[in-house]
Amino acid sequence: MIIAIDGPAASGKGTLARRLARHFGLAHLDTGRLYRAAALRALDAGGDPAEEAVAEKAAKAVHAGDLDDPRLSEERVAQAASVVAAIPAVRRALLAFQRDFAHHPPDGAKGAVLDGRDIGTVICPEAEAKLFITATPEARAARRVRELREGGETAIYEAVLQDMKDRDARDSQRRAAPLVPADDAYVLDTTALDADAAFAAALAFIARRLAARPGARG
Ligand code: CDP
């Protein structure tokens, strides 16, 4: 079973993906960390993440061990990630890792939950259930500020909101795998939902999808 979860920054997709993975006993991959890892490699090498040759070389070097680097959550890395993510050669370099994880999940799990921007449209169009998680930019910025402050960082709401709008624009307007819901995705607006309510809505949708599968009883 593959569950695809897409959506913009701080829409709540990561929290939801982790909970669904735990609930169904599936492996979880936060694909944003692959783009962040590629961006961090480019920054560490002193290169310009917007330069195709630099970004492609960095993306090709990304491996599983990179995904635990605590620096991946830095805002400068998030911004650089959305710059490298617009380069088709970078997306190509990271494709096999994601498909391999989905089809051969680690630790003998019987499936995987992947979250990102193009899981339902490009990486796993065959996923059994696709969710597109969204919320207003203001709600998402408020969540990100809370997360940052809980992590001991200082965060200014207006600056976070602006960064988020910049990244949304880059992610939605790029030509390579732009952020759009798949035709068969369930669009869930979490502006007025807490994590429990979003989880309940997602579970109900997945149950409907599984019941409608060929061969399902009921
Ligand atoms: O956690 P947050 O939502 O802030 O961002 P992320 O999921 O870690 O993704 C960082 C950046 O990587 C995004 O702004 C996208 O540009 C890019 N990305 C992508 O293009 N495709 C994915 N499947 C995941 C992330």
Side-chain angles (χ1 to χ4, degrees), residues 174-197:
R174 69 184 180 213
R175 288 174 58 187
L179 174 67
V180 281
D183 289 340
D184 52 349
Y186 173 64
V187 178
L188 181 61
D189 186 329
T190 66
T191 303
L193 300 182
D194 64 13
D196 287 344

Side-chain angles (χ1 to χ4, degrees), residues 6-11 13 30-33 35-36 72 75 77-86 91 98 115-119 123 144 164 167-168 170-171 174 176-177:
D6 291 303
S11 53
K13 63 187 189 308
D30 172 355
T31 64
R33 296 185 81 77
Y35 293 89
R36 287 171 180 260
L72 293 186
E75 183 54 33
V77 179
Q79 291 294 341
S82 84
V83 171
V84 302
R91 307 198 73 83
Q98 298 173 78
D115 75 86
R117 302 291 188 285
D118 63 341
I119 308 304
I123 306 295
R144 186 50 50 94
M164 198 154 280
R167 202 139 64 88
D168 281 359
R170 262 202 302 276
D171 290 351
R174 69 184 180 213

Side-chain angles (χ1 to χ4, degrees), residues 135-203:
T136 61
E138 290 74 18
R140 293 187 284 116
R143 285 176 196 162
R144 186 50 50 94
V145 166
R146 205 164 47 232
E147 272 171 25
L148 289 168
R149 288 186 184 153
E150 280 167 9
E153 291 180 54
T154 48
I156 301 162
Y157 171 80
E158 284 73 18
V160 171
L161 179 62
Q162 192 53 51
D163 286 349
M164 198 154 280
K165 286 181 173 169
D166 292 346
R167 202 139 64 88
D168 281 359
R170 262 202 302 276
D171 290 351
S172 312
Q173 289 162 17
R174 69 184 180 213
R175 288 174 58 187
L179 174 67
V180 281
D183 289 340
D184 52 349
Y186 173 64
V187 178
L188 181 61
D189 186 329
T190 66
T191 303
L193 300 182
D194 64 13
D196 287 344
F199 180 61
L203 271 188

